[in-house]
C-alpha cells in the first residue's frame, strides 16, 4: 500500500495525508494474495463491484483506485452543475 500511495503522490510526497483515505479504501477493496479475498469481502460477505482489470498488478489497481477516488469531489461538483442546468432547462 505504501508503494501505491507514493506512486499516487506523483513526486509530491507532501500529498500523502490527503491521499491516505483513498489509499485505505483502495487497499480494503483489493484482493490480497495471502488470503485471496478483499478485506471488505470478508467483512460484508460479498464481493464489491470495482472497475479494474484483473490482469493488473495489485499496486497498479491501488494506484487506479486512488486516482479515481481523488477525482470524486470534482466529478460530484460537475454532476451537480449539470443537474442544476437540466432543472433550469426543464422549467
Amino acid at each position: 500500500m505504501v508503494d501505491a500511495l507514493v506512486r499516487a503522490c506523483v513526486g509530491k510526497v507532501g500529498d500523502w495525508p490527503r491521499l491516505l483515505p483513498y489509499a485505505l479504501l483502495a487497499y480494503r477493496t483489493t484482493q490480497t494474495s495471502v488470503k485471496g479475498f478483499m478485506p471488505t469481502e470478508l467483512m460484508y460477505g460479498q464481493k464489491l463491484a470495482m472497475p479494474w482489470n484483473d490482469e493488473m498488478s495489485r499496486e497498479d489497481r491501488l494506484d487506479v483506485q486512488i486516482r479515481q477516488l481523488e477525482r470524486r469531489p470534482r466529478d460530484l461538483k460537475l454532476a451537480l452543475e449539470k443537474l442544476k442546468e437540466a432543472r433550469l432547462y426543464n422549467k
Side-chain angles (χ1 to χ4, degrees):
M1 183 176 88
V2 173
D3 291 337
L5 186 57
V6 169
R7 286 172 54 183
C9 288
V10 191
K12 298 178 185 173
V13 180
D15 281 351
W16 77 265
R18 182 178 59 81
L19 296 174
L20 182 60
Y22 307 133
L24 288 172
L25 179 60
Y27 178 80
R28 292 172 183 152
T29 56
T30 302
Q31 181 174 331
T32 65
S33 59
V34 175
K35 294 179 277 192
F37 296 95
M38 296 180 221
T40 52
E41 184 180 356
L42 295 173
M43 183 172 198
Y44 298 114
Q46 62 186 10
K47 288 189 177 193
L48 300 176
M50 300 304 287
W52 62 57
N53 180 345
D54 286 336
E55 297 174 9
M56 296 171 74
S57 71
R58 187 162 194 264
E59 289 77 22
D60 287 341
R61 285 186 206 166
L62 290 171
D63 187 46
V64 166
Q65 287 183 280
I66 291 168
R67 292 184 191 286
Q68 288 173 338
L69 292 166
E70 184 181 21
R71 286 193 313 262
R72 186 173 183 267
R74 184 197 68 202
D75 292 346
L76 288 174
K77 183 178 178 183
L78 180 62
L80 179 61
E81 290 171 5
K82 288 185 177 189
L83 180 61
K84 286 178 181 178
E85 289 175 13
R87 285 185 179 172
L88 287 174
Y89 179 76
N90 291 326
K91 279 189 173 185

